[in-house]
Amino acid sequence: DEIGLIPCPEARYNRSPIVLVENKLGVESWCVKFLLPYVHNKLLLYRQRKQWLNKDELIDITCTLLLLNPDFTTAWNVRKELILSGTLNPLKDLHLGKLALTKFPKSPETWIHRRWILQQLIQENLPSLATKGNLGTAPVERIHRLVQEEMKVCSEAAGRYPSNYNAWSHRIWVLQHLAKLTVKVLLDELSSTKYWVSMHVSDHSGFHYRQFLLNSLIRRTVTDNSILVRNQMVNEQNPSLQKEEEIAGTEAACAEEQSMDLPRCLDEEMELCSELIDNYPGHETLWCHSDESLSNSHHSPATSHMAQAMDVDGLNESSSKQGYTQETKRLKRAPVQDSLGPEMEYQFVDKVLSTCRDVDQARFATAYRKWLVTFLGQ
Amino acid sequence: MHVGGEVDVRSAYCAASVASLTNILTPSLFAGTAEWIARCQNWEGGMGGVPGMEAHGGYTFCGMAALVILKQEHLLNLRSLLHWVTGRQMRFEGGFQGRCNKLVDGCYSFWQAGLLPLLHRALHARGDPALSMAHWMFDQLALQEYILLCCQCPAGGLLDKPGKSRDFYHTCYCLSGLAIAQHFGSGDLHNEVVLGVPENCLQATHPVYNIAPEKVARAVMHFLQYPVPSLDPA
């Protein structure tokens, strides 16, 4: 379940450089300078059609290559061809990638290949799937398991390299394309990453992920509300359509349930920020996150449905992201009368300023206070 | 980026660069591209590789430069972009970081600092009276200090930060960043700010294409002689 290089500059004993202990694979470093050029050359000769390799040899060679250097695109592409021809089980490549990531947690080519595999799997256009590994489970369940596994792989890779852009980007991609950004998945991810970000307070990518989750939840609520409002409008025109009303009724219940969660999520996020800022002085990421969370919670759409419906029509028509930047949010939505929020923030910042001894912390707190004044206009 | 490869804002920049220099840029070739790039801008003010991703210096440069080529910079929130990029210059080192809360890296001398000439031009076109006519909106001397004092390899070449080894990529982008930091504007408005001896002064680089401005002019002139090829088979 893990690979690594054992620093060992010279072959001391006449034995294999491969070491396997407790399911972890080690390769003694002295052999790499022989092994890598050898397999690399073999693959290139095959690609240039100067030397034939059969399917099993190809699988072995590419596997070796990729565990030594997973950014070798050609090797991944050879495996793509094997998968498309039905000779190689794509799930094996997910496992190979996972293994490569234990040593190379950023490897861009590994993540890219992974996305290709996942796309193939959800499109279900591979001949090998019909016969292997499927066991006839329902597609929804299979996708759910794939998503959970991806979350785990991303989390481990994120832990192996600070601010691992590629790992977190992949995580976002999986939610967008496999999990379809359902409310349940977004809330689950919020709770399961809470502990992780508390343990990695300078990991900007981790906190950005939480912003992505919260923004997706906000967008979800806004879209659901607009469906609700449109249905209400339809109802008003056709009071005799019972079925419509029922649908509107259940959607109202859903929307309310979701909109009840949203302010609480945003409040919890602010609490998390404040707690982490107190415990770990001087981390710019936490203050950035705090800025944005406060901005979101102050302009939460959950509290004024009708106004949001108008905005949503406009937002849906233009496909630009303008609607979600801080500036236009302020312009489009009237601030909610919530006297508790800003008061608490001022108290929090003033407390930090009076008690902190870390220079950076003081600087961030001062900047935050200035921002509060501009933003809240008080 | 290549057939079957990843999709991100870099490819948009590569395509726009090539198309504009070789005079094959048509509206249909880039239909919808500018809007897609604008969606890469996020709440931080910078841009990610694709919509939804964390703001990152490399991707932000590519996105902004591509929009400049496509003449659609106004689709971005320029103020929040300016706020984000200026926040990326490190107060102690003088160089730039690629993302919030990360370490300084010599190559961002170009990717990040290079955004400021582009922003300056875009804001100037809007008639912003507060714009300086002599300096970019970052500390040009501090960046030059970082590059010259910390990013040079004694054996030649440049690098990310002290302790790292040299490579062509860092050599290229440290030098490009140095050129940006030394030269403000062009023509009548040209203002040189050179740290250390005058021999430190590099040739200016084109802020969009990062090649010599004369080369850009010559390429454009050359390809303007040819008609724009059509997509229909001959």
PDB file of all heavy atoms in Angstrom, chain A residues 206-230:
ATOM      1  N   GLY A 206      -6.560  23.494   1.410  1.00  0.00           N
ATOM      2  CA  GLY A 206      -7.585  22.835   2.210  1.00  0.00           C
ATOM      3  C   GLY A 206      -8.728  23.782   2.535  1.00  0.00           C
ATOM      4  O   GLY A 206      -9.902  23.437   2.429  1.00  0.00           O
ATOM      5  N   PHE A 207      -8.386  24.993   2.925  1.00  0.00           N
ATOM      6  CA  PHE A 207      -9.422  25.967   3.257  1.00  0.00           C
ATOM      7  C   PHE A 207     -10.160  26.426   2.006  1.00  0.00           C
ATOM      8  O   PHE A 207     -11.363  26.665   2.033  1.00  0.00           O
ATOM      9  CB  PHE A 207      -8.838  27.162   4.007  1.00  0.00           C
ATOM     10  CG  PHE A 207      -8.588  26.848   5.445  1.00  0.00           C
ATOM     11  CD1 PHE A 207      -7.342  26.429   5.881  1.00  0.00           C
ATOM     12  CD2 PHE A 207      -9.631  26.901   6.361  1.00  0.00           C
ATOM     13  CE1 PHE A 207      -7.130  26.096   7.212  1.00  0.00           C
ATOM     14  CE2 PHE A 207      -9.436  26.576   7.687  1.00  0.00           C
ATOM     15  CZ  PHE A 207      -8.171  26.174   8.118  1.00  0.00           C
ATOM     16  N   HIS A 208      -9.428  26.529   0.886  1.00  0.00           N
ATOM     17  CA  HIS A 208     -10.094  26.878  -0.365  1.00  0.00           C
ATOM     18  C   HIS A 208     -11.156  25.836  -0.704  1.00  0.00           C
ATOM     19  O   HIS A 208     -12.235  26.162  -1.180  1.00  0.00           O
ATOM     20  CB  HIS A 208      -9.081  26.980  -1.496  1.00  0.00           C
ATOM     21  CG  HIS A 208      -9.716  27.171  -2.829  1.00  0.00           C
ATOM     22  ND1 HIS A 208     -10.041  26.118  -3.667  1.00  0.00           N
ATOM     23  CD2 HIS A 208     -10.159  28.279  -3.454  1.00  0.00           C
ATOM     24  CE1 HIS A 208     -10.623  26.593  -4.746  1.00  0.00           C
ATOM     25  NE2 HIS A 208     -10.713  27.882  -4.645  1.00  0.00           N
ATOM     26  N   TYR A 209     -10.837  24.561  -0.421  1.00  0.00           N
ATOM     27  CA  TYR A 209     -11.800  23.483  -0.667  1.00  0.00           C
ATOM     28  C   TYR A 209     -13.078  23.741   0.123  1.00  0.00           C
ATOM     29  O   TYR A 209     -14.191  23.568  -0.383  1.00  0.00           O
ATOM     30  CB  TYR A 209     -11.164  22.147  -0.275  1.00  0.00           C
ATOM     31  CG  TYR A 209     -12.028  20.943  -0.535  1.00  0.00           C
ATOM     32  CD1 TYR A 209     -12.350  20.560  -1.830  1.00  0.00           C
ATOM     33  CD2 TYR A 209     -12.513  20.165   0.513  1.00  0.00           C
ATOM     34  CE1 TYR A 209     -13.135  19.449  -2.082  1.00  0.00           C
ATOM     35  CE2 TYR A 209     -13.294  19.046   0.277  1.00  0.00           C
ATOM     36  CZ  TYR A 209     -13.600  18.694  -1.022  1.00  0.00           C
ATOM     37  OH  TYR A 209     -14.373  17.577  -1.265  1.00  0.00           O
ATOM     38  N   ARG A 210     -12.940  24.168   1.376  1.00  0.00           N
ATOM     39  CA  ARG A 210     -14.129  24.443   2.183  1.00  0.00           C
ATOM     40  C   ARG A 210     -14.917  25.606   1.599  1.00  0.00           C
ATOM     41  O   ARG A 210     -16.141  25.603   1.600  1.00  0.00           O
ATOM     42  CB  ARG A 210     -13.724  24.720   3.632  1.00  0.00           C
ATOM     43  CG  ARG A 210     -13.221  23.473   4.347  1.00  0.00           C
ATOM     44  CD  ARG A 210     -12.897  23.765   5.807  1.00  0.00           C
ATOM     45  NE  ARG A 210     -14.095  23.839   6.632  1.00  0.00           N
ATOM     46  CZ  ARG A 210     -14.770  22.794   7.077  1.00  0.00           C
ATOM     47  NH1 ARG A 210     -14.386  21.571   6.769  1.00  0.00           N
ATOM     48  NH2 ARG A 210     -15.840  22.962   7.828  1.00  0.00           N
ATOM     49  N   GLN A 211     -14.212  26.614   1.079  1.00  0.00           N
ATOM     50  CA  GLN A 211     -14.914  27.719   0.408  1.00  0.00           C
ATOM     51  C   GLN A 211     -15.688  27.195  -0.786  1.00  0.00           C
ATOM     52  O   GLN A 211     -16.826  27.607  -1.041  1.00  0.00           O
ATOM     53  CB  GLN A 211     -13.922  28.786  -0.075  1.00  0.00           C
ATOM     54  CG  GLN A 211     -13.375  29.697   1.001  1.00  0.00           C
ATOM     55  CD  GLN A 211     -14.451  30.434   1.752  1.00  0.00           C
ATOM     56  OE1 GLN A 211     -15.544  30.659   1.255  1.00  0.00           O
ATOM     57  NE2 GLN A 211     -14.156  30.791   2.986  1.00  0.00           N
ATOM     58  N   PHE A 212     -15.051  26.294  -1.532  1.00  0.00           N
ATOM     59  CA  PHE A 212     -15.720  25.701  -2.688  1.00  0.00           C
ATOM     60  C   PHE A 212     -16.997  24.985  -2.246  1.00  0.00           C
ATOM     61  O   PHE A 212     -18.056  25.116  -2.862  1.00  0.00           O
ATOM     62  CB  PHE A 212     -14.767  24.737  -3.390  1.00  0.00           C
ATOM     63  CG  PHE A 212     -15.456  23.781  -4.326  1.00  0.00           C
ATOM     64  CD1 PHE A 212     -15.889  24.192  -5.573  1.00  0.00           C
ATOM     65  CD2 PHE A 212     -15.722  22.470  -3.930  1.00  0.00           C
ATOM     66  CE1 PHE A 212     -16.557  23.321  -6.423  1.00  0.00           C
ATOM     67  CE2 PHE A 212     -16.385  21.600  -4.780  1.00  0.00           C
ATOM     68  CZ  PHE A 212     -16.808  22.023  -6.022  1.00  0.00           C
ATOM     69  N   LEU A 213     -16.903  24.202  -1.141  1.00  0.00           N
ATOM     70  CA  LEU A 213     -18.077  23.469  -0.642  1.00  0.00           C
ATOM     71  C   LEU A 213     -19.183  24.443  -0.246  1.00  0.00           C
ATOM     72  O   LEU A 213     -20.351  24.259  -0.598  1.00  0.00           O
ATOM     73  CB  LEU A 213     -17.691  22.604   0.563  1.00  0.00           C
ATOM     74  CG  LEU A 213     -16.722  21.446   0.302  1.00  0.00           C
ATOM     75  CD1 LEU A 213     -16.269  20.829   1.620  1.00  0.00           C
ATOM     76  CD2 LEU A 213     -17.357  20.382  -0.579  1.00  0.00           C
ATOM     77  N   LEU A 214     -18.794  25.493   0.501  1.00  0.00           N
ATOM     78  CA  LEU A 214     -19.798  26.446   0.965  1.00  0.00           C
ATOM     79  C   LEU A 214     -20.422  27.196  -0.209  1.00  0.00           C
ATOM     80  O   LEU A 214     -21.636  27.380  -0.261  1.00  0.00           O
ATOM     81  CB  LEU A 214     -19.171  27.432   1.962  1.00  0.00           C
ATOM     82  CG  LEU A 214     -18.765  26.824   3.297  1.00  0.00           C
ATOM     83  CD1 LEU A 214     -17.879  27.778   4.087  1.00  0.00           C
ATOM     84  CD2 LEU A 214     -19.996  26.459   4.117  1.00  0.00           C
ATOM     85  N   ASN A 215     -19.584  27.614  -1.161  1.00  0.00           N
ATOM     86  CA  ASN A 215     -20.119  28.313  -2.329  1.00  0.00           C
ATOM     87  C   ASN A 215     -21.064  27.422  -3.121  1.00  0.00           C
ATOM     88  O   ASN A 215     -22.098  27.881  -3.614  1.00  0.00           O
ATOM     89  CB  ASN A 215     -18.978  28.775  -3.247  1.00  0.00           C
ATOM     90  CG  ASN A 215     -18.331  30.037  -2.739  1.00  0.00           C
ATOM     91  OD1 ASN A 215     -18.977  30.863  -2.120  1.00  0.00           O
ATOM     92  ND2 ASN A 215     -17.052  30.188  -2.993  1.00  0.00           N
ATOM     93  N   SER A 216     -20.706  26.130  -3.231  1.00  0.00           N
ATOM     94  CA  SER A 216     -21.579  25.205  -3.955  1.00  0.00           C
ATOM     95  C   SER A 216     -22.899  25.040  -3.233  1.00  0.00           C
ATOM     96  O   SER A 216     -23.955  24.943  -3.861  1.00  0.00           O
ATOM     97  CB  SER A 216     -20.911  23.847  -4.117  1.00  0.00           C
ATOM     98  OG  SER A 216     -19.661  23.991  -4.744  1.00  0.00           O
ATOM     99  N   LEU A 217     -22.848  25.023  -1.895  1.00  0.00           N
ATOM    100  CA  LEU A 217     -24.080  24.909  -1.120  1.00  0.00           C
ATOM    101  C   LEU A 217     -24.957  26.146  -1.322  1.00  0.00           C
ATOM    102  O   LEU A 217     -26.174  26.037  -1.492  1.00  0.00           O
ATOM    103  CB  LEU A 217     -23.777  24.766   0.375  1.00  0.00           C
ATOM    104  CG  LEU A 217     -23.519  23.356   0.882  1.00  0.00           C
ATOM    105  CD1 LEU A 217     -23.031  23.397   2.324  1.00  0.00           C
ATOM    106  CD2 LEU A 217     -24.794  22.512   0.790  1.00  0.00           C
ATOM    107  N   ILE A 218     -24.311  27.299  -1.323  1.00  0.00           N
ATOM    108  CA  ILE A 218     -25.060  28.541  -1.529  1.00  0.00           C
ATOM    109  C   ILE A 218     -25.726  28.518  -2.893  1.00  0.00           C
ATOM    110  O   ILE A 218     -26.914  28.801  -3.031  1.00  0.00           O
ATOM    111  CB  ILE A 218     -24.128  29.767  -1.411  1.00  0.00           C
ATOM    112  CG1 ILE A 218     -23.650  29.929   0.033  1.00  0.00           C
ATOM    113  CG2 ILE A 218     -24.833  31.033  -1.877  1.00  0.00           C
ATOM    114  CD1 ILE A 218     -22.622  31.027   0.207  1.00  0.00           C
ATOM    115  N   ARG A 219     -24.942  28.139  -3.913  1.00  0.00           N
ATOM    116  CA  ARG A 219     -25.485  28.099  -5.273  1.00  0.00           C
ATOM    117  C   ARG A 219     -26.637  27.129  -5.363  1.00  0.00           C
ATOM    118  O   ARG A 219     -27.634  27.365  -6.034  1.00  0.00           O
ATOM    119  CB  ARG A 219     -24.399  27.665  -6.250  1.00  0.00           C
ATOM    120  CG  ARG A 219     -23.857  28.787  -7.073  1.00  0.00           C
ATOM    121  CD  ARG A 219     -23.217  28.239  -8.280  1.00  0.00           C
ATOM    122  NE  ARG A 219     -21.854  27.848  -7.958  1.00  0.00           N
ATOM    123  CZ  ARG A 219     -20.813  28.132  -8.710  1.00  0.00           C
ATOM    124  NH1 ARG A 219     -20.966  28.779  -9.826  1.00  0.00           N
ATOM    125  NH2 ARG A 219     -19.611  27.752  -8.377  1.00  0.00           N
ATOM    126  N   ARG A 220     -26.496  25.995  -4.666  1.00  0.00           N
ATOM    127  CA  ARG A 220     -27.511  24.955  -4.666  1.00  0.00           C
ATOM    128  C   ARG A 220     -28.809  25.497  -4.083  1.00  0.00           C
ATOM    129  O   ARG A 220     -29.894  25.279  -4.609  1.00  0.00           O
ATOM    130  CB  ARG A 220     -27.001  23.806  -3.793  1.00  0.00           C
ATOM    131  CG  ARG A 220     -27.695  22.514  -3.990  1.00  0.00           C
ATOM    132  CD  ARG A 220     -27.391  21.950  -5.321  1.00  0.00           C
ATOM    133  NE  ARG A 220     -28.305  20.882  -5.615  1.00  0.00           N
ATOM    134  CZ  ARG A 220     -28.050  19.906  -6.445  1.00  0.00           C
ATOM    135  NH1 ARG A 220     -26.895  19.886  -7.031  1.00  0.00           N
ATOM    136  NH2 ARG A 220     -28.936  18.980  -6.675  1.00  0.00           N
ATOM    137  N   THR A 221     -28.670  26.194  -2.940  1.00  0.00           N
ATOM    138  CA  THR A 221     -29.845  26.744  -2.271  1.00  0.00           C
ATOM    139  C   THR A 221     -30.533  27.747  -3.175  1.00  0.00           C
ATOM    140  O   THR A 221     -31.751  27.753  -3.310  1.00  0.00           O
ATOM    141  CB  THR A 221     -29.443  27.443  -0.962  1.00  0.00           C
ATOM    142  OG1 THR A 221     -28.575  26.581  -0.238  1.00  0.00           O
ATOM    143  CG2 THR A 221     -30.660  27.754  -0.136  1.00  0.00           C
ATOM    144  N   VAL A 222     -29.728  28.601  -3.796  1.00  0.00           N
ATOM    145  CA  VAL A 222     -30.287  29.625  -4.668  1.00  0.00           C
ATOM    146  C   VAL A 222     -31.045  28.995  -5.834  1.00  0.00           C
ATOM    147  O   VAL A 222     -32.149  29.405  -6.169  1.00  0.00           O
ATOM    148  CB  VAL A 222     -29.162  30.545  -5.181  1.00  0.00           C
ATOM    149  CG1 VAL A 222     -29.640  31.401  -6.329  1.00  0.00           C
ATOM    150  CG2 VAL A 222     -28.675  31.431  -4.048  1.00  0.00           C
ATOM    151  N   THR A 223     -30.441  27.954  -6.464  1.00  0.00           N
ATOM    152  CA  THR A 223     -31.120  27.292  -7.582  1.00  0.00           C
ATOM    153  C   THR A 223     -32.400  26.621  -7.119  1.00  0.00           C
ATOM    154  O   THR A 223     -33.435  26.726  -7.765  1.00  0.00           O
ATOM    155  CB  THR A 223     -30.229  26.217  -8.222  1.00  0.00           C
ATOM    156  OG1 THR A 223     -28.884  26.581  -8.066  1.00  0.00           O
ATOM    157  CG2 THR A 223     -30.570  26.013  -9.670  1.00  0.00           C
ATOM    158  N   ASP A 224     -32.329  25.907  -5.977  1.00  0.00           N
ATOM    159  CA  ASP A 224     -33.519  25.232  -5.471  1.00  0.00           C
ATOM    160  C   ASP A 224     -34.620  26.237  -5.175  1.00  0.00           C
ATOM    161  O   ASP A 224     -35.792  26.003  -5.448  1.00  0.00           O
ATOM    162  CB  ASP A 224     -33.196  24.444  -4.195  1.00  0.00           C
ATOM    163  CG  ASP A 224     -32.329  23.231  -4.520  1.00  0.00           C
ATOM    164  OD1 ASP A 224     -32.261  22.858  -5.708  1.00  0.00           O
ATOM    165  OD2 ASP A 224     -31.730  22.669  -3.598  1.00  0.00           O
ATOM    166  N   ASN A 225     -34.228  27.380  -4.586  1.00  0.00           N
ATOM    167  CA  ASN A 225     -35.218  28.402  -4.282  1.00  0.00           C
ATOM    168  C   ASN A 225     -35.871  28.931  -5.545  1.00  0.00           C
ATOM    169  O   ASN A 225     -37.061  29.209  -5.580  1.00  0.00           O
ATOM    170  CB  ASN A 225     -34.569  29.578  -3.544  1.00  0.00           C
ATOM    171  CG  ASN A 225     -34.286  29.218  -2.100  1.00  0.00           C
ATOM    172  OD1 ASN A 225     -34.737  28.186  -1.634  1.00  0.00           O
ATOM    173  ND2 ASN A 225     -33.544  30.053  -1.416  1.00  0.00           N
ATOM    174  N   SER A 226     -35.070  29.047  -6.616  1.00  0.00           N
ATOM    175  CA  SER A 226     -35.655  29.602  -7.832  1.00  0.00           C
ATOM    176  C   SER A 226     -36.636  28.616  -8.437  1.00  0.00           C
ATOM    177  O   SER A 226     -37.650  29.004  -8.993  1.00  0.00           O
ATOM    178  CB  SER A 226     -34.579  29.986  -8.829  1.00  0.00           C
ATOM    179  OG  SER A 226     -34.123  28.839  -9.493  1.00  0.00           O
ATOM    180  N   ILE A 227     -36.330  27.304  -8.296  1.00  0.00           N
ATOM    181  CA  ILE A 227     -37.279  26.290  -8.772  1.00  0.00           C
ATOM    182  C   ILE A 227     -38.561  26.419  -7.984  1.00  0.00           C
ATOM    183  O   ILE A 227     -39.670  26.419  -8.515  1.00  0.00           O
ATOM    184  CB  ILE A 227     -36.703  24.869  -8.599  1.00  0.00           C
ATOM    185  CG1 ILE A 227     -35.491  24.687  -9.493  1.00  0.00           C
ATOM    186  CG2 ILE A 227     -37.760  23.824  -8.915  1.00  0.00           C
ATOM    187  CD1 ILE A 227     -34.747  23.403  -9.256  1.00  0.00           C
ATOM    188  N   LEU A 228     -38.395  26.579  -6.660  1.00  0.00           N
ATOM    189  CA  LEU A 228     -39.531  26.720  -5.760  1.00  0.00           C
ATOM    190  C   LEU A 228     -40.384  27.910  -6.161  1.00  0.00           C
ATOM    191  O   LEU A 228     -41.605  27.815  -6.297  1.00  0.00           O
ATOM    192  CB  LEU A 228     -39.000  26.900  -4.331  1.00  0.00           C
ATOM    193  CG  LEU A 228     -40.008  27.338  -3.275  1.00  0.00           C
ATOM    194  CD1 LEU A 228     -41.029  26.255  -3.059  1.00  0.00           C
ATOM    195  CD2 LEU A 228     -39.285  27.647  -1.972  1.00  0.00           C
ATOM    196  N   VAL A 229     -39.712  29.041  -6.389  1.00  0.00           N
ATOM    197  CA  VAL A 229     -40.459  30.255  -6.733  1.00  0.00           C
ATOM    198  C   VAL A 229     -41.169  30.092  -8.067  1.00  0.00           C
ATOM    199  O   VAL A 229     -42.331  30.467  -8.217  1.00  0.00           O
ATOM    200  CB  VAL A 229     -39.505  31.461  -6.775  1.00  0.00           C
ATOM    201  CG1 VAL A 229     -40.164  32.650  -7.453  1.00  0.00           C
ATOM    202  CG2 VAL A 229     -39.082  31.822  -5.356  1.00  0.00           C
ATOM    203  N   ARG A 230     -40.484  29.499  -9.037  1.00  0.00           N
ATOM    204  CA  ARG A 230     -41.122  29.300 -10.350  1.00  0.00           C
ATOM    205  C   ARG A 230     -42.335  28.418 -10.226  1.00  0.00           C
ATOM    206  O   ARG A 230     -43.355  28.684 -10.845  1.00  0.00           O
ATOM    207  CB  ARG A 230     -40.120  28.676 -11.332  1.00  0.00           C
ATOM    208  CG  ARG A 230     -39.164  29.708 -11.864  1.00  0.00           C
ATOM    209  CD  ARG A 230     -38.380  29.162 -13.011  1.00  0.00           C
ATOM    210  NE  ARG A 230     -37.257  30.063 -13.274  1.00  0.00           N
ATOM    211  CZ  ARG A 230     -35.997  29.699 -13.368  1.00  0.00           C
ATOM    212  NH1 ARG A 230     -35.667  28.444 -13.222  1.00  0.00           N
ATOM    213  NH2 ARG A 230     -35.061  30.579 -13.593  1.00  0.00           N
TER     214      ARG A 230
END
